[in-house]
Amino acid sequence: MLKQRYGAEGIDPKTKIFMEEQLKKATDNYNESQVLGRGGFGTVYRGILQDKSVVAIKKSKLSEESQVEQFINEIIILCQINHRNVVKLLGCCLETEVPLLVYEFIPNGTLFNRIHDSIPLPWKDRLQIAADIAGALAYLHSAASPPIIHRDIKSANILLDEKYTAKISDFGASRSVPFNQTHVTTVVQGTFGYLDPEYFSTHQLTEKSDVYSFGVVLAELWLREKPISLDRPIEIQGLAAYINMLFSQGQLVQMMEPYIIEEAGFEQIEAIGRITNKCLSLKGEERPTMREVATELERLRQAIEQETAHFDTDALVPLLCGPRIAENSIYLGGREEEVTRQYSLETSMQCSMELPR
C-alpha cells in the first residue's frame, strides 16, 4: 500500500525504519506505565531508544484496512512537511500488521489538557500558541506542495513542548489538494464541536474547513470553554453558537477572566474577538485565509511584547451592562438568527452522523 501511494521506493529515504523488537524494548513491551494518551486510533506510548533519546510511539488498536490507510496517509503527509510547529515523524515500523509510527517526544502534553487545567495560561502564552498554530496551518495551506488540509484541527491534536511552542499532530485524516482544485469531495470526517458545518452539509472539503476548526480552538483558548458543554443551555452547547451569542449581545468581556482583561487590554480582546468571529462564519467564503489570520495574530503577539496594552475601563461599561451596543464595544456583527442557525446546524450534525475521530 505504501508503494502504491508513495511510488516504487515505498517510503521517503529520510524516514527511518525501526524494527519491531526495538520499539518493544523502548516501551518495556508497551507497558501501561508508558502510555501518553489514548484515542479512537489506538494508544501513544513514551519510548526510550537505545541511544537514550525519548520518542512517542503511536500503536493502533485495530488492524482494519481503514486504520492501516490512515497510518499510511500520515506517513506520506508528514514526509512532505518540515515546519517547527508540526510534530516530526522520525520513522515507522512496517513489520507489524498495522504500522507503528515514531515521533519526536513533546513533553507538555495536549493543548486541550493545558487549557482546561486549574492553572490558567497567561495571555501572552495564549497568543503565542495561537500564532504558532495559525502559522503552521498557513504553511500547510499555502506553502506545502501540494497544499494540505488537516481536517481534524482540535486542541487535543495540538501538542506543547517545554517552552510551550505549539505543534500540530495527528495527520491521519489529512488530505492533499491538487493545485488546480479548490476543494476535495470526501466522506465527512472530523470531531463534533470543531467540524465545519458547511463541509458537513456539502461534503466539499476546503482549506476554510480548517479555518472554522481553528476558530473553535481560538475561542476555547481564550475563553477556556469546552467545544461542547452540557452545562450551557441546549441552544448554545456548541462553543461556536455560544461565542456568536456573546458577540450578538455585546457580552464578550464579562465572560472573560478578570486577570486576562488586565493582561490583554481592550484593544487586544477586541482584535482577537474579531478574528474568531470571522473564522466561525457559517459560509466558508466569508472566512479569512489562514495566512491572513496568522499575520494578524503575529501582529498582536509582537504588540504585547513591545508594550503593556492600555486598558480603558470606561469603554467596558456598556459591555458589562448587557446587550446595548456602544461605539467602542466588541460588537462584531452577530445576530440572534445567526445563533439559531448555528444551533440548528450543530443539532443536525449531532443527530445524523457518527464521527469516529
Side-chain angles (χ1 to χ4, degrees):
M1 189 181 292
L2 198 57
K3 286 181 178 179
Q4 287 174 354
R5 292 281 304 276
Y6 208 91
E9 295 302 317
I11 193 167
D12 188 320
K14 297 191 293 292
T15 304
K16 183 174 179 179
I17 303 297
F18 289 90
M19 298 296 105
E20 185 177 8
E21 274 306 311
Q22 281 180 278
L23 301 186
K24 272 188 179 180
K25 187 174 181 181
T27 57
D28 191 18
N29 198 24
Y30 304 105
N31 194 299
E32 282 293 307
S33 65
Q34 301 302 311
V35 172
L36 294 173
R38 303 180 193 275
F41 58 83
T43 306
V44 177
Y45 295 86
R46 180 178 182 271
I48 302 177
L49 300 177
Q50 195 168 5
D51 63 2
K52 305 302 181 187
S53 60
V54 182
V55 296
I57 300 166
K58 184 190 284 190
K59 183 185 183 193
S60 173
K61 64 183 179 184
L62 300 171
S63 58
E64 296 175 2
E65 187 173 346
S66 62
Q67 199 77 14
V68 177
E69 287 176 357
Q70 285 195 351
F71 271 54
I72 296 297
N73 188 63
E74 185 150 12
I75 292 170
I76 292 166
I77 292 287
L78 286 174
C79 282
Q80 301 171 43
I81 300 171
N82 181 20
H83 193 279
R84 67 185 293 270
N85 298 118
V86 173
V87 68
K88 284 186 175 61
L89 177 69
L90 303 178
C92 60
C93 174
L94 303 176
E95 291 184 322
T96 50
E97 189 174 3
V98 176
L100 299 171
L101 305 185
V102 183
Y103 305 89
E104 61 175 327
F105 175 69
I106 312 295
N108 272 326
T110 69
L111 178 59
F112 179 89
N113 289 337
R114 188 62 188 85
I115 289 173
H116 304 292
D117 192 356
S118 58
I119 303 173
L121 281 163
W123 180 258
K124 182 179 177 181
D125 288 348
R126 298 188 204 194
L127 264 185
Q128 179 62 63
I129 290 167
D132 284 347
I133 303 167
L137 286 173
Y139 165 83
L140 294 175
H141 295 174
S142 306
S145 181
I148 295 165
I149 301 172
H150 187 280
R151 202 160 53 146
D152 198 21
I153 289 296
K154 57 184 177 182
S155 57
N157 282 344
I158 310 297
L159 304 178
L160 302 173
D161 72 8
E162 62 281 352
K163 295 180 180 178
Y164 284 92
T165 300
K167 294 178 183 283
I168 298 176
S169 68
D170 200 345
F171 284 76
S174 301
R175 292 294 299 267
S176 297
V177 183
F179 286 108
N180 60 346
Q181 289 184 216
T182 58
H183 67 271
V184 177
T185 302
T186 74
V187 174
V188 175
Q189 256 187 288
T191 300
F192 185 64
Y194 299 91
L195 185 68
D196 170 18
E198 188 174 68
Y199 168 42
F200 170 75
S201 61
T202 66
H203 287 219
Q204 293 187 352
L205 179 69
T206 74
E207 64 177 44
K208 297 298 182 71
S209 301
D210 279 353
V211 175
Y212 183 92
S213 301
F214 176 76
V216 179
V217 172
L218 203 54
E220 187 181 2
L221 183 60
W222 53 262
L223 272 189
R224 296 182 73 205
E225 290 276 348
K226 293 185 178 178
I228 300 292
S229 175
L230 301 182
D231 294 332
R232 296 191 290 264
I234 187 168
E235 67 275 9
I236 53 171
Q237 285 180 354
L239 184 52
Y242 179 54
I243 289 294
N244 203 306
M245 184 203 71
L246 293 180
F247 290 159
S248 69
Q249 296 182 359
Q251 294 180 342
L252 178 62
V253 171
Q254 73 182 92
M255 299 308 297
M256 298 189 74
E257 296 154 305
Y259 82 94
I260 283 296
I261 299 172
E262 293 177 11
E263 283 184 22
F266 181 75
E267 290 181 8
Q268 289 252 332
I269 293 173
E270 182 179 27
I272 207 80
R274 289 186 187 282
I275 294 168
T276 307
N277 189 41
K278 289 178 181 177
C279 289
L280 292 175
S281 295
L282 290 177
K283 294 182 179 179
E285 62 188 19
E286 295 176 359
R287 300 170 201 157
T289 65
M290 283 310 308
R291 180 67 67 194
E292 291 168 334
V293 174
T295 299
E296 180 63 10
L297 287 173
E298 184 59 27
R299 183 188 70 79
L300 293 174
R301 189 193 67 77
Q302 290 179 5
I304 207 167
E305 280 190 351
Q306 291 168 3
E307 58 182 347
T308 303
H310 175 64
F311 178 61
D312 183 357
T313 307
D314 293 337
L316 297 181
V317 172
L319 293 170
L320 299 173
C321 292
R324 185 178 175 185
I325 306 302
E327 184 180 352
N328 292 326
S329 74
I330 284 187
Y331 180 68
L332 303 178
R335 298 184 303 279
E336 187 174 342
E337 60 266 29
E338 193 76 357
V339 179
T340 305
R341 283 187 66 209
Q342 195 104 35
Y343 164 62
S344 299
L345 284 164
E346 288 176 349
T347 303
S348 173
M349 285 192 287
Q350 191 171 23
C351 293
S352 61
M353 71 185 299
E354 290 185 8
L355 297 177
R357 302 182 64 77

